[in-house]
Amino acid sequence: MNDRSKMRLSVPTGGEALVSSSGAHQLAPRSSSAIPPMQYLHRLSDLKQMDVQSAMDQMKQLLGTRPQSVYKTSYYRKQTKNHWARDDPAFGALQVLFLGIAAIAYSVAFRTTFAGFLSFFLYTVLNYLGLGWVLATLCREVANRNLVVHQSSTHVKQTVEWMYSFDIHCNSFFPVFMVLYVLQFFMLPIVLDEGLTALIVANTLYAVALSWYWYITHLGYRSLPFLQNTEVFLFPIAAFILLYIGMIVGYPFGLGWNAARVMARFYFM
């Protein structure tokens, strides 16, 4: 029997090619085929290269009862292209477009000038991208340093791609957008009012939106088969709940703040 007949190939959960020969196992190296950043940016200028319908379908899934199904495409992408992150910028491009529409709506509602609209739009986009960069970097570091499953020495240690972490941020931000930019817009007369009722309604919106963000984030990292204890990404939700309760309890003592009124003053007043 020749050497080739002794070889067999199996694919473990993480997508690595594992070669077995004479009972010994070793990892067959696979080069990363993640899309280069410049090519990713180039696709933003060509609508024909963006799958808008697929991005819209993923947004619907994120608002449904099974948001984790969005991350199934990442697993399939890993098996076919050897990277977890999206190579289609349509999802992020649509979110920037939606932020622009929201900026127009809020600027009309608050009767701001064109300069005020431009300032609000640029701030929200920079907040979306800048805060996303920070959170993606921090979460990736936490995952790679503390949550990677330690396998045998015959396996190459897998790490979370930065672009995949940013994808998780984009996914997590969409429910935040729907709650704090869309739903809140139609509730402005209520949430901007004074009193305990307005405070409870406004702070409930913010607590739900921020908790939703970290729940989707948790699902994104949990979908990676080489990570463990991803429940740590749910810990911020406990902080939001405590802060939410504290705002209500502290209201009679002058320690409760209406999050919607605070943000309105910051942006428009």
Side-chain angles (χ1 to χ4, degrees):
M1 183 180 295
N2 57 28
D3 292 339
R4 180 172 297 182
S5 64
K6 297 180 181 180
M7 305 291 287
R8 62 185 177 87
L9 181 68
S10 63
V11 179
T13 307
E16 315 96 316
L18 191 64
V19 177
S20 175
S21 176
S22 303
H25 295 77
Q26 66 183 74
L27 189 71
R30 294 178 60 183
S31 60
S32 174
S33 58
I35 182 172
M38 292 307 298
Q39 184 179 349
Y40 185 89
L41 293 175
H42 176 71
R43 290 188 177 184
L44 285 171
S45 60
D46 190 353
L47 291 177
K48 295 181 180 180
Q49 296 192 44
M50 291 192 287
D51 191 346
V52 176
Q53 184 59 53
S54 176
M56 295 288 290
D57 291 341
Q58 292 178 38
M59 290 177 176
K60 293 178 183 178
Q61 291 174 342
L62 288 169
L63 300 178
T65 57
R66 294 180 56 82
Q68 64 270 24
S69 60
V70 170
Y71 295 107
K72 288 184 179 180
T73 58
S74 299
Y75 179 79
Y76 299 145
R77 193 180 301 115
K78 176 64 176 178
Q79 303 306 312
T80 57
K81 300 181 180 180
N82 196 28
H83 63 88
W84 298 92
R86 291 186 180 99
D87 46 17
D88 181 5
F91 195 96
L94 282 176
Q95 286 193 328
V96 173
L97 175 62
F98 293 158
L99 286 173
I101 297 173
I104 294 174
Y106 275 88
S107 297
V108 171
F110 284 93
R111 301 178 181 179
T112 63
T113 63
F114 177 76
F117 151 74
L118 191 60
S119 176
F120 176 62
F121 172 65
L122 291 177
Y123 190 89
T124 54
V125 171
L126 290 176
N127 185 52
Y128 163 60
L129 297 176
L131 186 60
W133 185 89
V134 172
L135 290 175
T137 301
L138 291 177
C139 290
R140 177 177 179 267
E141 285 298 310
V142 170
N144 286 337
R145 290 178 180 270
N146 305 294
L147 306 182
V148 175
V149 176
H150 295 289
Q151 297 176 323
S152 65
S153 58
T154 59
H155 288 76
V156 174
K157 181 180 179 180
Q158 297 195 71
T159 58
V160 180
E161 304 164 3
W162 186 89
M163 282 297 295
Y164 180 75
S165 292
F166 190 77
D167 274 351
I168 293 177
H169 162 72
C170 293
N171 292 339
S172 303
F173 180 81
F174 184 68
V176 174
F177 171 82
M178 294 301 297
V179 174
L180 297 186
Y181 287 81
V182 179
L183 180 59
Q184 181 179 235
F185 177 80
F186 296 101
M187 300 181 68
L188 286 178
I190 299 175
V191 299
L192 294 182
D193 198 5
E194 297 182 354
L196 181 60
T197 300
L199 180 145
I200 292 176
V201 174
N203 289 358
T204 298
L205 290 179
Y206 278 80
V208 168
L210 296 177
S211 298
W212 206 342
Y213 179 95
W214 286 102
Y215 175 67
I216 300 297
T217 297
H218 157 68
L219 292 179
Y221 288 98
R222 191 181 72 175
S223 67
L224 297 178
F226 55 88
L227 295 183
Q228 62 183 354
N229 301 325
T230 55
E231 294 79 10
V232 297
F233 294 109
L234 296 175
F235 290 172
I237 297 178
F240 298 141
I241 294 175
L242 292 176
L243 185 61
Y244 173 77
I245 296 174
M247 291 293 107
I248 297 176
V249 174
Y251 178 78
F253 307 100
L255 299 177
W257 291 278
N258 182 323
R261 290 175 63 88
V262 171
M263 298 307 294
R265 289 195 188 97
F266 180 78
Y267 285 120
F268 301 108
M269 299 179 184

